[in-house]
Amino acid sequence: MCGRFAITLPNDAMAQLFSARPANTLPSVPNFNVCPTNQVHVVRAGETGRQLDSLRWGFLPHWYKTENAGPLLINARAETLAEKPAFRAACRARRCLIAATGFYEWTKTEKGDRLPWYIHRKDGAPIAFAGVWQDWGTEDARQGTCAIVTTPANTYLSAIHHRMPLILEPDDWPLWLGEVGKGAATLMRPGVDGVLDYYRVDPAVNSNRASGPDLIEPALT
């Protein structure tokens, strides 16, 4: 799964990277501790090209009467994405990219202490998570919401967690966004080994109130 991540790329650089027109209001960057229900940077395809938007991280199905009417859907499993009532329509027609610099995962010691790890691309490039989105709410309070698609972990990441976010390479962005026809299901597989790396970071990030660049610095052991 993916429950926390970081984004450090400036908004204008993000728009350039994804060849997207930025919305007037985007989340502040850098943010070294993006948490569920925060606004996140999302790229969507439209009739006039790609748009870089701000959406709530936490997918809200149309039948939710309130934001907390059901589980907080921050992740969507690739294996059941096309079948689950919450996601199947979005899987067909509302796919997106969610921008990140890296993400966090946790392991536990024998004593039950949570040890955080920071996962990033070896080449230093930004990460594009595969996502799905859904507009939710009444017309006067309409908001966009999204979830990150996940797959079983590849061999390398399985050492710290059994699942991982679906990370897409630039050549795959058009297919996932629906810009070049059908076949996005072929992309829903674990990422290849050798793309990502990880290292331990300070347990300060265990708090969703923590902030600052120190969160992604290697821990002193």
Side-chain angles (χ1 to χ4, degrees):
M1 64 175 295
C2 180
R4 218 93 70 71
F5 64 90
I7 177 67
T8 63
L9 199 64
N11 288 330
D12 56 348
M14 229 179 299
Q16 184 175 3
L17 173 68
F18 291 104
S19 301
R21 185 175 66 254
N24 292 331
T25 302
L26 290 170
S28 297
V29 286
N31 185 346
F32 297 92
N33 194 9
V34 181
C35 301
T37 74
N38 286 172
Q39 294 295 118
V40 297
H41 296 81
V42 173
V43 177
R44 299 184 285 185
E47 294 181 359
T48 59
R50 294 177 185 171
Q51 178 83 19
L52 178 63
D53 292 320
S54 173
L55 271 63
R56 174 192 188 268
W57 183 22
F59 189 100
L60 295 173
H62 65 84
W63 60 81
Y64 277 24
K65 300 301 182 184
T66 63
E67 292 184 4
N68 58 359
L72 181 60
L73 304 175
I74 60 171
N75 294 155
R77 296 172 69 95
E79 303 95 311
T80 56
L81 189 65
E83 304 165 7
K84 291 288 187 181
F87 300 121
R88 61 190 177 201
C91 177
R92 292 193 301 270
R94 294 190 301 278
R95 298 188 299 271
C96 62
L97 304 173
I98 300 172
T101 304
F103 61 100
Y104 301 98
E105 197 51 78
W106 282 261
T107 56
K108 282 189 177 182
T109 67
E110 292 181 358
K111 296 180 180 179
D113 297 327
R114 299 177 73 228
L115 302 179
W117 301 79
Y118 182 66
I119 305 161
H120 60 97
R121 290 185 63 107
K122 284 185 176 180
D123 60 9
I127 290 172
F129 296 136
V132 289
W133 64 273
Q134 167 80 52
D135 283 337
W136 178 88
T138 58
E139 288 302 321
D140 58 343
R142 201 79 166 159
Q143 63 173 311
T145 71
C146 64
I148 295 171
V149 178
T150 67
T151 71
N154 59 27
T155 302
Y156 183 64
L157 283 189
S158 65
I160 57 174
H161 202 273
H162 65 285
R163 296 195 67 80
M164 65 181 291
L166 174 55
I167 296 174
L168 299 176
E169 299 297 327
D171 287 348
D172 295 327
W173 296 350
L175 182 57
W176 184 258
L177 292 174
E179 297 170 333
V180 293
K182 299 180 180 180
T186 61
L187 303 175
M188 291 194 284
R189 58 185 184 272
V192 297
D193 291 305
V195 173
L196 301 175
D197 204 356
Y198 57 81
Y199 54 81
R200 277 277 313 284
V201 290
D202 194 277
V205 77
N206 291 357
S207 169
N208 59 15
R209 295 185 296 275
S211 63
D214 290 349
L215 297 181
I216 64 171
E217 291 297 318
L220 298 176
T221 56

